[in-house]
Amino acid sequence: MSIRENIKTLKESLTPEITLVAVSKTKPNENILEAYNSGHRVFGENKVQELVSKQEDLPKDIEWHMIGHLQRNKVKYIAPFVSLIHGVDSLKLLKEINKRAEQNNRTINCLLQVHIAEEDTKFGFSPEEIEDVLKGNDLAQMNNVNIVGLMGMATNTDNQEQVQREFIGLKHLFDDIASKQSSFSTLSMGMSGDYEIALAAGSNMIRVGSRIFGARNYS
Ligand SMILES: *Cc1c(COP(=O)(O)O)cnc(C)c1O
């Protein structure tokens, strides 16, 4: 199937409140344009350099999401245009995003990444830390970031019950915060291999790459 067909089929299976982030990392601009020309506008990248060069070359009405681990010294390159940063995993990073957003006279929407997987290689706050960040004085001083929700990645396992358990745990945390904080609207969870489980658990933003663009070649 073509990229155009993949994205059409996927979108038809989603209810309107679900946002599909088409993860185009490692894929050439022509692939992105194929999805773009079928009407899609939301794309995600995980490397700053790649994100910046694609943003420069591609149509300006694309909504670019930074989905990967973000280093503080690279925030400045994406601050002028990024529309959502999914992987905020430290207060220091959040402060840097706030500073660079202010320099660009804008507010940057962010998701706090929560560590839900068993593997300790995945970045993110613990659920307890999330509450601290949201209640803390530091955040109150930041006028140029908007925390709009949470992001999480489940353990990379064939054990579907475990994946489901991790997603449901994150959904509970999200609901708990959203009930107290009206700015909380976005729960980013689910990728090609597990987005159906994530949606059933209550995700409203999925990040899908290979299912749209085909397998990636890392050289
Ligand atoms: C690559 C990536 C995805 C998409 O992965 P697929 O399995 O190709 O859908 C989603 N989220 C993050 C953070 C990624 O780095």
Side-chain angles (χ1 to χ4, degrees), residues 16 69 76 81 89 131 156 163 181:
H69 180 63
K76 56 180 178 284
F81 66 86
D89 60 359
E131 310 265 359
N156 187 6
V163 171
Q181 205 161 311

Side-chain angles (χ1 to χ4, degrees), residues 23 25 46 67-68 151 153 190-193 207-211 216 218:
V23 177
K25 62 191 189 194
N46 73 336
I67 62 166
M151 179 271 213
M153 289 168 85
M191 333 197 329
S192 291
R207 311 174 308 272
V208 179
S210 44
R211 178 94 172 219
R216 285 177 293 273
Y218 289 100

